Amino acid sequence: MKKNLFIPLIALAAICFGHQAKAQVTATSQPVTVNINLTDAISITLGASPTVNFAYTTAADYTASKTVEKAGHFTVVSNKPYNLTVVATGAFTPAGGPALNVVTVTVPAASANGGTPVANVPLSTTAASLVTNSTASTGASYTVDYTIANPASLLNLGASAYSTTVTYTATQL
């Protein structure tokens, strides 16, 4: 009798282990649209100390040209190529006294972000091209040299602080 029960038990075990239960797997998918919405963006950020100071305190200062280098003077961020211009709001004016012509200071671009720098740009009340066709960038840093090449233009002027405002403009192409 034990044999009679043993054989059906083995057969039942073989049947159970021989057939594995498998879940039905069905694949499903759904397309998703991903959009990238771009807007033209451009900005100029001035460096930590944007003010440019020339000091003529001794007789020797009036005998040679002077340059004030402004490393990292400003940074341009633009998603497209751009041109860079510079303009002065007016002549250098003191607190009461004759105005000093703005062409005594030149602004050559010491660095250009893949563009073409224009050498020795005189400051003027008319916008002048400083760099043309700069490449798009996430942070092009510009070093600018301010130079008074001929200090003779400063002779016969009264002791005072002469100033003007200079504006840089980046325009996308």
Side-chain angles (χ1 to χ4, degrees):
M1 176 88 160
K2 278 187 176 184
K3 269 188 178 179
N4 287 347
L5 284 175
F6 186 67
I7 292 174
L9 187 60
I10 290 176
L12 182 63
I15 290 172
C16 287
F17 289 116
H19 293 290
Q20 296 176 356
K22 294 184 182 176
Q24 290 288 339
V25 178
T26 57
T28 183
S29 65
Q30 196 65 298
V32 173
T33 301
V34 177
N35 296 319
I36 300 174
N37 298 314
L38 300 177
T39 302
D40 290 341
I42 190 165
S43 69
I44 294 179
T45 305
L46 293 176
S49 70
T51 302
V52 179
N53 290 309
F54 285 93
Y56 287 83
T57 57
T58 67
D61 289 337
Y62 290 90
T63 63
S65 69
K66 241 183 208 200
T67 297
V68 175
E69 180 185 83
K70 297 300 281 186
H73 195 36
F74 57 87
T75 302
V76 176
V77 174
S78 178
N79 69 316
K80 292 172 54 177
Y82 59 93
N83 289 335
L84 192 58
T85 60
V86 61
V87 64
T89 57
F92 288 87
T93 54
L100 176 63
N101 193 341
V102 295
V103 297
T104 57
V105 177
T106 58
V107 187
S111 59
N113 180 40
T116 305
V118 178
N120 298 321
V121 177
L123 285 179
S124 167
T125 55
T126 303
S129 182
L130 188 63
V131 179
T132 58
N133 202 25
S134 286
T135 58
S137 173
T138 58
S141 179
Y142 287 88
T143 296
V144 178
D145 292 342
Y146 291 82
T147 302
I148 297 177
N150 182 6
S153 62
L154 305 175
L155 299 177
N156 295 317
L157 295 175
S160 186
Y162 293 77
S163 65
T164 190
T165 300
V166 175
T167 303
Y168 293 94
T169 303
T171 307
Q172 289 183 328
L173 303 177

